[in-house]
Amino acid sequence: MSRARWGTVAIVLLVLGSGFPLYWAIVSSFTPEARLYGTPSLIPRVLVLDHYRALFTQREFWVPIRNSLIVAGSTTGFCVLVGGLCAYALARLRFRGKAPLLGLILAVSVFPQISVVSPLYLLLRRLHLINTYPGLILPYLTFAMPLTVWLLVGFFRQLPAELEEAAMVDGASRLRTIREIVWPLAIPGLAATAILTFVYSWNEFLFALSFTLGPERQTVPVAIALFRGQYQVPWGQILAAAVVATAPVALLVLAFQRRIVQGLTAGAVKG
Amino acid sequence: MASVRLDGVEKVYPNGHVAARGLDIDVADGEFMVLVGPSGCGKSTALRMIAGLETPTAGRVLIGDRDVTALPPQERDIAMVFQSYALYPHMTVRENLAFGLRMRGAARPAIAERVEAVARPLGLDAVLDRKPGQLSGGQRQRVALGRAMVRDPKVFLFDEPLSNLDAKLRVETRAELARLHRRLRATIVYVTHDQEEALTLGSRVTVMRDGVVEQVGPPMEVYRRPASVFVAGFVGSPAMNFLQGDLVAVFGGDAQRGPVTLGIRPHDLVLTPADNADLIARVDVVEPRGSELLVHLRLGADGQGQEIRVVAPPEPMPPVDSVVGLHADRQRLHWFDTTTGKRIE
C-alpha cells in the first residue's frame, strides 16, 4: 500500500477510536435501562427519552447546569477581563521584575490541585464562602488566571508593536489605542482563551466536590458523580447527563473552531 | 512646519547597549534630512526619540522652539511612516487615513473631505473601502504615506519606508517622495541604510556609526569629501578602494608623518597600458554592468597583491589575467590618518 493509503487508514482508525466512545454514550443514553445490561449491539433497536426525562424531573438536573454556567461563566469573564489587561501590561509595558513575575504566575499554575484543597477549604470556611458561587469562582481563578495570562501574553507579543506606535503617533492615548487597535485585533486570542478557560472550569471536579455541600450549589461533574446510589449505578442517566453537559461546550468549540486554532497557533508563522 | 533639533541626546538601554552618544542633529525648517548608516548605528533610535517612542537618557529633543523631550508621541504633532507601514489591518483604507484626524477630534465632514483630497493624488480613491490585506505592496506604501500627509504635521518621520518595495517601485517611489517634499515644503527626517537612497533624497545627509554622527553635509559634499574612512567606505557604490602606507614627507599643511590610508573611488581610476602607470595590476574578474564595466584587479604584475576595483568604460574589455596599468586622478585622492580614521587635507 502507498503511504497516502496508510495515512487514510490511520485517520479512519483515529476518528473511529475517538468517536466511538462518544457514539456509544449517545446511543446508550437513549437505550432503555433494561436493555443496557443485555447483549450490546452496535445499532440501537429501541430509542427512548426516559433517561433525559428522569434527569430533568427526578433529578432537577437544570440546577447543576445553572450552577456550572454561573461558575464557569464568571470565571471566564473575570479571567479574560483582568487577565487580558494583565497580559497586555506584561507583554507591552516596560517595568522592573517582569520576568520573575511571569515565572511566579507559571509557578502558581503548576501546584497540584490536591495539595491546596485543604488550606483552601479552611480559608473559604473562615470567609464563609463554602457552598457559595464565589467560593468556587475564586479558587477557579487560581488555575484559570495563570493559563489566561500565559496564553494572552504570547498572543499580545505577536501583535506588531508598530501598530500601537502608529496609533500613538496618530494621537491616540494608551487606553484609546487598546480600545481601537489592540482589542479588535486581539479578539481571536481572547475568544480562544475564553473557550479554554470555560471548558476547564466547566469540567473541574475536585474543587467543586470539596467546596460545595448540597445539590443547590453543585456543578455538573459533581452532580453526575453523585448519581450513583448505594446499590445501583444509573448508567443511562449518567450518560444522558454527560451528553447534556458536553453538548454546550462542544457547540461552543465548533462555533469558534477556526478562531481557536488561529489563537493557539498565532505567532507560529508570520502572515 | 518646524525645525527639529537633537541636543546632546544619549540613549543607553537598561542592558547597557548604547544606541546614541552625544547626538547633535539640526534639521532646518523644510529640510529633507536623511539619517544613514549600517544597521545598529542608532539611526532608527534617533528617529524614534524624535517621535517620542523612545525617551533619551540624556539631552534634549526640540521641535520648533518647543522642548518635547518629556512629551509623549500624541502631543508632538508629528507623522511617521513605518518600515512595515503599520496599517491598521481591521480598518478600511478610508478609516486608516481618517484615524489621525478622528483622534484629534476633527469634524466628520472635514475628515471626509480631507481624506478624499489626500487619496486622489496618491491614486487611492478607488481602493478607499478595501482593507490593507487586499492591497498591493505599492498601494499599502501609499496608504502609509497618505496617513502621514492627511494631518499636516509639523514634521514627517520616515523609517526605511522603501525597503519592502521591489527595485523598480523603489525608484518610482523615491521620485514621488522628492516631489512630495518639494510640493509640501515639509520638514522630513528620513532613516535608511541605503547610501544611494540617502544621496538621491537628502537635502543633507547625516552619516552615523555606533550611535555617533560621523559626518553631516549635503549629499555631494559627503560623497566628494568624506570626513572619515568609515564615511568614505560607506558612501558610494562600488565602495572606495583603500591602500595603506606611510606618509614620509610633508609639504605644507598640518599633516603628521605616520601611517596613512589612501582612498580612491573605483570611478576615479583609469585603466592604462602597463608601462608608465601609477600602479600595475592583473585583471581578476570583469563584470559587465551595461553602461560600464566593474573590473576587479589584484595589485602587482604577479596578481598576488591587494584587490582593487575599477569602473571602466565598456570598450575595450580587458582580458582576464592580462596585466594593466592604473592611473589615478590626483584631484580625487582621499587621504586619511590610519590611526584616527580622520580625513587629512
PDB file of all heavy atoms in Angstrom, chain A residues 98-130:
ATOM      1  N   LYS A  98       9.689  41.944  35.460  1.00  0.00           N
ATOM      2  CA  LYS A  98       8.681  41.341  34.610  1.00  0.00           C
ATOM      3  C   LYS A  98       8.894  39.829  34.495  1.00  0.00           C
ATOM      4  O   LYS A  98       7.949  39.046  34.653  1.00  0.00           O
ATOM      5  CB  LYS A  98       8.747  41.985  33.224  1.00  0.00           C
ATOM      6  CG  LYS A  98       7.477  41.860  32.468  1.00  0.00           C
ATOM      7  CD  LYS A  98       7.329  42.986  31.480  1.00  0.00           C
ATOM      8  CE  LYS A  98       8.131  42.738  30.228  1.00  0.00           C
ATOM      9  NZ  LYS A  98       7.801  43.709  29.172  1.00  0.00           N
ATOM     10  N   ALA A  99      10.137  39.442  34.243  1.00  0.00           N
ATOM     11  CA  ALA A  99      10.425  38.016  34.069  1.00  0.00           C
ATOM     12  C   ALA A  99      10.115  37.214  35.338  1.00  0.00           C
ATOM     13  O   ALA A  99       9.456  36.174  35.259  1.00  0.00           O
ATOM     14  CB  ALA A  99      11.877  37.817  33.636  1.00  0.00           C
ATOM     15  N   PRO A 100      10.565  37.687  36.516  1.00  0.00           N
ATOM     16  CA  PRO A 100      10.216  36.948  37.742  1.00  0.00           C
ATOM     17  C   PRO A 100       8.703  36.851  37.938  1.00  0.00           C
ATOM     18  O   PRO A 100       8.193  35.810  38.362  1.00  0.00           O
ATOM     19  CB  PRO A 100      10.830  37.781  38.862  1.00  0.00           C
ATOM     20  CG  PRO A 100      11.870  38.604  38.229  1.00  0.00           C
ATOM     21  CD  PRO A 100      11.481  38.802  36.801  1.00  0.00           C
ATOM     22  N   LEU A 101       7.988  37.922  37.584  1.00  0.00           N
ATOM     23  CA  LEU A 101       6.541  37.923  37.747  1.00  0.00           C
ATOM     24  C   LEU A 101       5.896  36.843  36.865  1.00  0.00           C
ATOM     25  O   LEU A 101       5.040  36.079  37.326  1.00  0.00           O
ATOM     26  CB  LEU A 101       5.986  39.299  37.386  1.00  0.00           C
ATOM     27  CG  LEU A 101       4.518  39.535  37.746  1.00  0.00           C
ATOM     28  CD1 LEU A 101       4.324  39.391  39.247  1.00  0.00           C
ATOM     29  CD2 LEU A 101       4.078  40.913  37.296  1.00  0.00           C
ATOM     30  N   LEU A 102       6.346  36.779  35.616  1.00  0.00           N
ATOM     31  CA  LEU A 102       5.821  35.748  34.714  1.00  0.00           C
ATOM     32  C   LEU A 102       6.147  34.357  35.246  1.00  0.00           C
ATOM     33  O   LEU A 102       5.321  33.448  35.187  1.00  0.00           O
ATOM     34  CB  LEU A 102       6.432  35.915  33.323  1.00  0.00           C
ATOM     35  CG  LEU A 102       5.611  36.752  32.344  1.00  0.00           C
ATOM     36  CD1 LEU A 102       6.399  37.021  31.084  1.00  0.00           C
ATOM     37  CD2 LEU A 102       4.322  36.035  32.000  1.00  0.00           C
ATOM     38  N   GLY A 103       7.362  34.211  35.785  1.00  0.00           N
ATOM     39  CA  GLY A 103       7.769  32.927  36.355  1.00  0.00           C
ATOM     40  C   GLY A 103       6.872  32.550  37.519  1.00  0.00           C
ATOM     41  O   GLY A 103       6.434  31.400  37.647  1.00  0.00           O
ATOM     42  N   LEU A 104       6.578  33.539  38.358  1.00  0.00           N
ATOM     43  CA  LEU A 104       5.733  33.295  39.530  1.00  0.00           C
ATOM     44  C   LEU A 104       4.338  32.840  39.088  1.00  0.00           C
ATOM     45  O   LEU A 104       3.774  31.895  39.652  1.00  0.00           O
ATOM     46  CB  LEU A 104       5.629  34.587  40.351  1.00  0.00           C
ATOM     47  CG  LEU A 104       4.882  34.454  41.672  1.00  0.00           C
ATOM     48  CD1 LEU A 104       5.733  33.671  42.667  1.00  0.00           C
ATOM     49  CD2 LEU A 104       4.532  35.815  42.235  1.00  0.00           C
ATOM     50  N   ILE A 105       3.813  33.505  38.065  1.00  0.00           N
ATOM     51  CA  ILE A 105       2.479  33.145  37.575  1.00  0.00           C
ATOM     52  C   ILE A 105       2.475  31.707  37.086  1.00  0.00           C
ATOM     53  O   ILE A 105       1.550  30.935  37.367  1.00  0.00           O
ATOM     54  CB  ILE A 105       2.047  34.106  36.449  1.00  0.00           C
ATOM     55  CG1 ILE A 105       1.824  35.508  37.026  1.00  0.00           C
ATOM     56  CG2 ILE A 105       0.779  33.615  35.767  1.00  0.00           C
ATOM     57  CD1 ILE A 105       1.551  36.566  36.001  1.00  0.00           C
ATOM     58  N   LEU A 106       3.548  31.335  36.388  1.00  0.00           N
ATOM     59  CA  LEU A 106       3.643  29.960  35.902  1.00  0.00           C
ATOM     60  C   LEU A 106       3.754  28.995  37.078  1.00  0.00           C
ATOM     61  O   LEU A 106       3.111  27.941  37.106  1.00  0.00           O
ATOM     62  CB  LEU A 106       4.850  29.810  34.983  1.00  0.00           C
ATOM     63  CG  LEU A 106       4.982  28.460  34.286  1.00  0.00           C
ATOM     64  CD1 LEU A 106       3.839  28.262  33.306  1.00  0.00           C
ATOM     65  CD2 LEU A 106       6.312  28.356  33.554  1.00  0.00           C
ATOM     66  N   ALA A 107       4.560  29.378  38.084  1.00  0.00           N
ATOM     67  CA  ALA A 107       4.776  28.519  39.240  1.00  0.00           C
ATOM     68  C   ALA A 107       3.455  28.236  39.950  1.00  0.00           C
ATOM     69  O   ALA A 107       3.184  27.103  40.362  1.00  0.00           O
ATOM     70  CB  ALA A 107       5.770  29.178  40.190  1.00  0.00           C
ATOM     71  N   VAL A 108       2.616  29.274  40.069  1.00  0.00           N
ATOM     72  CA  VAL A 108       1.322  29.101  40.732  1.00  0.00           C
ATOM     73  C   VAL A 108       0.492  28.044  40.015  1.00  0.00           C
ATOM     74  O   VAL A 108      -0.174  27.214  40.638  1.00  0.00           O
ATOM     75  CB  VAL A 108       0.559  30.447  40.758  1.00  0.00           C
ATOM     76  CG1 VAL A 108      -0.884  30.230  41.165  1.00  0.00           C
ATOM     77  CG2 VAL A 108       1.239  31.415  41.702  1.00  0.00           C
ATOM     78  N   SER A 109       0.587  28.055  38.682  1.00  0.00           N
ATOM     79  CA  SER A 109      -0.290  27.161  37.929  1.00  0.00           C
ATOM     80  C   SER A 109       0.178  25.704  37.954  1.00  0.00           C
ATOM     81  O   SER A 109      -0.580  24.825  37.577  1.00  0.00           O
ATOM     82  CB  SER A 109      -0.416  27.642  36.483  1.00  0.00           C
ATOM     83  OG  SER A 109       0.819  27.484  35.830  1.00  0.00           O
ATOM     84  N   VAL A 110       1.409  25.447  38.387  1.00  0.00           N
ATOM     85  CA  VAL A 110       1.864  24.050  38.380  1.00  0.00           C
ATOM     86  C   VAL A 110       1.656  23.356  39.724  1.00  0.00           C
ATOM     87  O   VAL A 110       1.953  22.177  39.862  1.00  0.00           O
ATOM     88  CB  VAL A 110       3.350  23.915  37.947  1.00  0.00           C
ATOM     89  CG1 VAL A 110       3.542  24.390  36.538  1.00  0.00           C
ATOM     90  CG2 VAL A 110       4.272  24.623  38.910  1.00  0.00           C
ATOM     91  N   PHE A 111       1.145  24.077  40.726  1.00  0.00           N
ATOM     92  CA  PHE A 111       0.820  23.426  42.004  1.00  0.00           C
ATOM     93  C   PHE A 111      -0.205  22.315  41.763  1.00  0.00           C
ATOM     94  O   PHE A 111      -1.214  22.535  41.105  1.00  0.00           O
ATOM     95  CB  PHE A 111       0.176  24.439  42.959  1.00  0.00           C
ATOM     96  CG  PHE A 111       1.162  25.059  43.898  1.00  0.00           C
ATOM     97  CD1 PHE A 111       1.672  26.321  43.649  1.00  0.00           C
ATOM     98  CD2 PHE A 111       1.576  24.373  45.035  1.00  0.00           C
ATOM     99  CE1 PHE A 111       2.582  26.893  44.512  1.00  0.00           C
ATOM    100  CE2 PHE A 111       2.479  24.945  45.903  1.00  0.00           C
ATOM    101  CZ  PHE A 111       2.992  26.211  45.639  1.00  0.00           C
ATOM    102  N   PRO A 112       0.018  21.102  42.310  1.00  0.00           N
ATOM    103  CA  PRO A 112      -1.023  20.086  42.183  1.00  0.00           C
ATOM    104  C   PRO A 112      -2.260  20.545  42.952  1.00  0.00           C
ATOM    105  O   PRO A 112      -2.152  21.008  44.093  1.00  0.00           O
ATOM    106  CB  PRO A 112      -0.410  18.853  42.857  1.00  0.00           C
ATOM    107  CG  PRO A 112       1.018  19.162  43.082  1.00  0.00           C
ATOM    108  CD  PRO A 112       1.181  20.647  43.048  1.00  0.00           C
ATOM    109  N   GLN A 113      -3.395  20.454  42.307  1.00  0.00           N
ATOM    110  CA  GLN A 113      -4.635  20.923  42.934  1.00  0.00           C
ATOM    111  C   GLN A 113      -4.872  20.303  44.310  1.00  0.00           C
ATOM    112  O   GLN A 113      -5.245  20.993  45.248  1.00  0.00           O
ATOM    113  CB  GLN A 113      -5.812  20.575  42.023  1.00  0.00           C
ATOM    114  CG  GLN A 113      -6.216  21.689  41.110  1.00  0.00           C
ATOM    115  CD  GLN A 113      -7.566  21.396  40.497  1.00  0.00           C
ATOM    116  OE1 GLN A 113      -7.936  20.251  40.289  1.00  0.00           O
ATOM    117  NE2 GLN A 113      -8.298  22.431  40.212  1.00  0.00           N
ATOM    118  N   ILE A 114      -4.608  18.988  44.382  1.00  0.00           N
ATOM    119  CA  ILE A 114      -4.943  18.276  45.614  1.00  0.00           C
ATOM    120  C   ILE A 114      -4.195  18.860  46.813  1.00  0.00           C
ATOM    121  O   ILE A 114      -4.689  18.847  47.934  1.00  0.00           O
ATOM    122  CB  ILE A 114      -4.644  16.756  45.444  1.00  0.00           C
ATOM    123  CG1 ILE A 114      -5.187  15.945  46.607  1.00  0.00           C
ATOM    124  CG2 ILE A 114      -3.164  16.492  45.293  1.00  0.00           C
ATOM    125  CD1 ILE A 114      -6.676  15.780  46.560  1.00  0.00           C
ATOM    126  N   SER A 115      -2.996  19.434  46.555  1.00  0.00           N
ATOM    127  CA  SER A 115      -2.193  19.940  47.666  1.00  0.00           C
ATOM    128  C   SER A 115      -2.767  21.222  48.247  1.00  0.00           C
ATOM    129  O   SER A 115      -2.426  21.617  49.350  1.00  0.00           O
ATOM    130  CB  SER A 115      -0.762  20.167  47.209  1.00  0.00           C
ATOM    131  OG  SER A 115      -0.730  21.243  46.301  1.00  0.00           O
ATOM    132  N   VAL A 116      -3.615  21.923  47.493  1.00  0.00           N
ATOM    133  CA  VAL A 116      -4.140  23.182  48.020  1.00  0.00           C
ATOM    134  C   VAL A 116      -5.602  23.054  48.472  1.00  0.00           C
ATOM    135  O   VAL A 116      -6.170  24.014  48.986  1.00  0.00           O
ATOM    136  CB  VAL A 116      -4.026  24.337  47.002  1.00  0.00           C
ATOM    137  CG1 VAL A 116      -2.579  24.659  46.737  1.00  0.00           C
ATOM    138  CG2 VAL A 116      -4.758  24.012  45.718  1.00  0.00           C
ATOM    139  N   VAL A 117      -6.170  21.860  48.308  1.00  0.00           N
ATOM    140  CA  VAL A 117      -7.583  21.712  48.659  1.00  0.00           C
ATOM    141  C   VAL A 117      -7.823  21.996  50.142  1.00  0.00           C
ATOM    142  O   VAL A 117      -8.679  22.816  50.498  1.00  0.00           O
ATOM    143  CB  VAL A 117      -8.104  20.311  48.284  1.00  0.00           C
ATOM    144  CG1 VAL A 117      -9.440  20.047  48.943  1.00  0.00           C
ATOM    145  CG2 VAL A 117      -8.239  20.189  46.783  1.00  0.00           C
ATOM    146  N   SER A 118      -7.032  21.368  51.027  1.00  0.00           N
ATOM    147  CA  SER A 118      -7.291  21.547  52.468  1.00  0.00           C
ATOM    148  C   SER A 118      -7.071  22.982  52.919  1.00  0.00           C
ATOM    149  O   SER A 118      -7.961  23.563  53.548  1.00  0.00           O
ATOM    150  CB  SER A 118      -6.435  20.604  53.307  1.00  0.00           C
ATOM    151  OG  SER A 118      -6.130  19.452  52.615  1.00  0.00           O
ATOM    152  N   PRO A 119      -5.916  23.594  52.599  1.00  0.00           N
ATOM    153  CA  PRO A 119      -5.772  25.002  53.028  1.00  0.00           C
ATOM    154  C   PRO A 119      -6.853  25.904  52.442  1.00  0.00           C
ATOM    155  O   PRO A 119      -7.372  26.781  53.138  1.00  0.00           O
ATOM    156  CB  PRO A 119      -4.383  25.401  52.518  1.00  0.00           C
ATOM    157  CG  PRO A 119      -3.884  24.277  51.685  1.00  0.00           C
ATOM    158  CD  PRO A 119      -4.686  23.068  51.991  1.00  0.00           C
ATOM    159  N   LEU A 120      -7.209  25.670  51.166  1.00  0.00           N
ATOM    160  CA  LEU A 120      -8.254  26.499  50.566  1.00  0.00           C
ATOM    161  C   LEU A 120      -9.574  26.305  51.308  1.00  0.00           C
ATOM    162  O   LEU A 120     -10.324  27.252  51.533  1.00  0.00           O
ATOM    163  CB  LEU A 120      -8.432  26.135  49.091  1.00  0.00           C
ATOM    164  CG  LEU A 120      -7.672  26.974  48.077  1.00  0.00           C
ATOM    165  CD1 LEU A 120      -7.955  26.492  46.669  1.00  0.00           C
ATOM    166  CD2 LEU A 120      -8.056  28.444  48.207  1.00  0.00           C
ATOM    167  N   TYR A 121      -9.846  25.061  51.702  1.00  0.00           N
ATOM    168  CA  TYR A 121     -11.102  24.785  52.411  1.00  0.00           C
ATOM    169  C   TYR A 121     -11.172  25.584  53.705  1.00  0.00           C
ATOM    170  O   TYR A 121     -12.169  26.247  53.997  1.00  0.00           O
ATOM    171  CB  TYR A 121     -11.228  23.284  52.698  1.00  0.00           C
ATOM    172  CG  TYR A 121     -12.550  22.933  53.322  1.00  0.00           C
ATOM    173  CD1 TYR A 121     -13.660  22.676  52.515  1.00  0.00           C
ATOM    174  CD2 TYR A 121     -12.712  22.909  54.708  1.00  0.00           C
ATOM    175  CE1 TYR A 121     -14.884  22.389  53.083  1.00  0.00           C
ATOM    176  CE2 TYR A 121     -13.939  22.623  55.275  1.00  0.00           C
ATOM    177  CZ  TYR A 121     -15.029  22.354  54.463  1.00  0.00           C
ATOM    178  OH  TYR A 121     -16.243  22.083  55.017  1.00  0.00           O
ATOM    179  N   LEU A 122     -10.053  25.545  54.455  1.00  0.00           N
ATOM    180  CA  LEU A 122     -10.014  26.280  55.735  1.00  0.00           C
ATOM    181  C   LEU A 122     -10.216  27.768  55.497  1.00  0.00           C
ATOM    182  O   LEU A 122     -10.969  28.447  56.202  1.00  0.00           O
ATOM    183  CB  LEU A 122      -8.687  26.034  56.438  1.00  0.00           C
ATOM    184  CG  LEU A 122      -8.456  24.562  56.841  1.00  0.00           C
ATOM    185  CD1 LEU A 122      -7.073  24.382  57.441  1.00  0.00           C
ATOM    186  CD2 LEU A 122      -9.534  24.129  57.824  1.00  0.00           C
ATOM    187  N   LEU A 123      -9.539  28.258  54.458  1.00  0.00           N
ATOM    188  CA  LEU A 123      -9.620  29.675  54.115  1.00  0.00           C
ATOM    189  C   LEU A 123     -11.054  30.063  53.768  1.00  0.00           C
ATOM    190  O   LEU A 123     -11.604  31.043  54.274  1.00  0.00           O
ATOM    191  CB  LEU A 123      -8.703  29.929  52.915  1.00  0.00           C
ATOM    192  CG  LEU A 123      -8.288  31.358  52.628  1.00  0.00           C
ATOM    193  CD1 LEU A 123      -7.368  31.848  53.732  1.00  0.00           C
ATOM    194  CD2 LEU A 123      -7.549  31.416  51.293  1.00  0.00           C
ATOM    195  N   LEU A 124     -11.672  29.270  52.899  1.00  0.00           N
ATOM    196  CA  LEU A 124     -13.031  29.572  52.446  1.00  0.00           C
ATOM    197  C   LEU A 124     -14.020  29.475  53.598  1.00  0.00           C
ATOM    198  O   LEU A 124     -14.981  30.244  53.675  1.00  0.00           O
ATOM    199  CB  LEU A 124     -13.433  28.623  51.306  1.00  0.00           C
ATOM    200  CG  LEU A 124     -12.672  28.814  49.996  1.00  0.00           C
ATOM    201  CD1 LEU A 124     -12.976  27.690  49.022  1.00  0.00           C
ATOM    202  CD2 LEU A 124     -13.020  30.165  49.362  1.00  0.00           C
ATOM    203  N   ARG A 125     -13.779  28.511  54.529  1.00  0.00           N
ATOM    204  CA  ARG A 125     -14.701  28.366  55.665  1.00  0.00           C
ATOM    205  C   ARG A 125     -14.622  29.599  56.547  1.00  0.00           C
ATOM    206  O   ARG A 125     -15.625  30.151  56.977  1.00  0.00           O
ATOM    207  CB  ARG A 125     -14.353  27.116  56.470  1.00  0.00           C
ATOM    208  CG  ARG A 125     -15.499  26.690  57.374  1.00  0.00           C
ATOM    209  CD  ARG A 125     -15.157  25.458  58.137  1.00  0.00           C
ATOM    210  NE  ARG A 125     -13.937  25.660  58.892  1.00  0.00           N
ATOM    211  CZ  ARG A 125     -13.336  24.703  59.597  1.00  0.00           C
ATOM    212  NH1 ARG A 125     -13.838  23.473  59.607  1.00  0.00           N
ATOM    213  NH2 ARG A 125     -12.244  24.945  60.272  1.00  0.00           N
ATOM    214  N   ARG A 126     -13.383  30.076  56.752  1.00  0.00           N
ATOM    215  CA  ARG A 126     -13.200  31.271  57.556  1.00  0.00           C
ATOM    216  C   ARG A 126     -13.897  32.469  56.916  1.00  0.00           C
ATOM    217  O   ARG A 126     -14.435  33.343  57.596  1.00  0.00           O
ATOM    218  CB  ARG A 126     -11.684  31.520  57.707  1.00  0.00           C
ATOM    219  CG  ARG A 126     -11.313  32.705  58.551  1.00  0.00           C
ATOM    220  CD  ARG A 126     -11.659  32.528  60.018  1.00  0.00           C
ATOM    221  NE  ARG A 126     -10.915  31.494  60.703  1.00  0.00           N
ATOM    222  CZ  ARG A 126      -9.702  31.649  61.229  1.00  0.00           C
ATOM    223  NH1 ARG A 126      -9.076  32.793  61.085  1.00  0.00           N
ATOM    224  NH2 ARG A 126      -9.122  30.682  61.888  1.00  0.00           N
ATOM    225  N   LEU A 127     -13.907  32.508  55.596  1.00  0.00           N
ATOM    226  CA  LEU A 127     -14.540  33.617  54.877  1.00  0.00           C
ATOM    227  C   LEU A 127     -16.031  33.374  54.646  1.00  0.00           C
ATOM    228  O   LEU A 127     -16.690  34.167  53.975  1.00  0.00           O
ATOM    229  CB  LEU A 127     -13.851  33.830  53.511  1.00  0.00           C
ATOM    230  CG  LEU A 127     -12.394  34.266  53.560  1.00  0.00           C
ATOM    231  CD1 LEU A 127     -11.770  34.181  52.180  1.00  0.00           C
ATOM    232  CD2 LEU A 127     -12.281  35.683  54.108  1.00  0.00           C
ATOM    233  N   HIS A 128     -16.542  32.276  55.168  1.00  0.00           N
ATOM    234  CA  HIS A 128     -17.948  31.896  54.969  1.00  0.00           C
ATOM    235  C   HIS A 128     -18.304  31.783  53.504  1.00  0.00           C
ATOM    236  O   HIS A 128     -19.361  32.234  53.059  1.00  0.00           O
ATOM    237  CB  HIS A 128     -18.894  32.900  55.665  1.00  0.00           C
ATOM    238  CG  HIS A 128     -18.611  33.025  57.125  1.00  0.00           C
ATOM    239  ND1 HIS A 128     -18.878  32.006  58.028  1.00  0.00           N
ATOM    240  CD2 HIS A 128     -18.045  34.014  57.841  1.00  0.00           C
ATOM    241  CE1 HIS A 128     -18.496  32.379  59.234  1.00  0.00           C
ATOM    242  NE2 HIS A 128     -17.984  33.591  59.156  1.00  0.00           N
ATOM    243  N   LEU A 129     -17.417  31.203  52.728  1.00  0.00           N
ATOM    244  CA  LEU A 129     -17.667  31.092  51.297  1.00  0.00           C
ATOM    245  C   LEU A 129     -17.888  29.649  50.852  1.00  0.00           C
ATOM    246  O   LEU A 129     -18.065  29.385  49.667  1.00  0.00           O
ATOM    247  CB  LEU A 129     -16.499  31.684  50.499  1.00  0.00           C
ATOM    248  CG  LEU A 129     -16.403  33.213  50.529  1.00  0.00           C
ATOM    249  CD1 LEU A 129     -15.170  33.682  49.781  1.00  0.00           C
ATOM    250  CD2 LEU A 129     -17.658  33.853  49.949  1.00  0.00           C
ATOM    251  N   ILE A 130     -17.869  28.709  51.833  1.00  0.00           N
ATOM    252  CA  ILE A 130     -18.160  27.325  51.453  1.00  0.00           C
ATOM    253  C   ILE A 130     -19.609  27.245  50.962  1.00  0.00           C
ATOM    254  O   ILE A 130     -20.501  27.894  51.522  1.00  0.00           O
ATOM    255  CB  ILE A 130     -17.966  26.392  52.674  1.00  0.00           C
ATOM    256  CG1 ILE A 130     -16.501  26.367  53.094  1.00  0.00           C
ATOM    257  CG2 ILE A 130     -18.447  24.975  52.369  1.00  0.00           C
ATOM    258  CD1 ILE A 130     -15.571  25.717  52.099  1.00  0.00           C
TER     259      ILE A 130
END
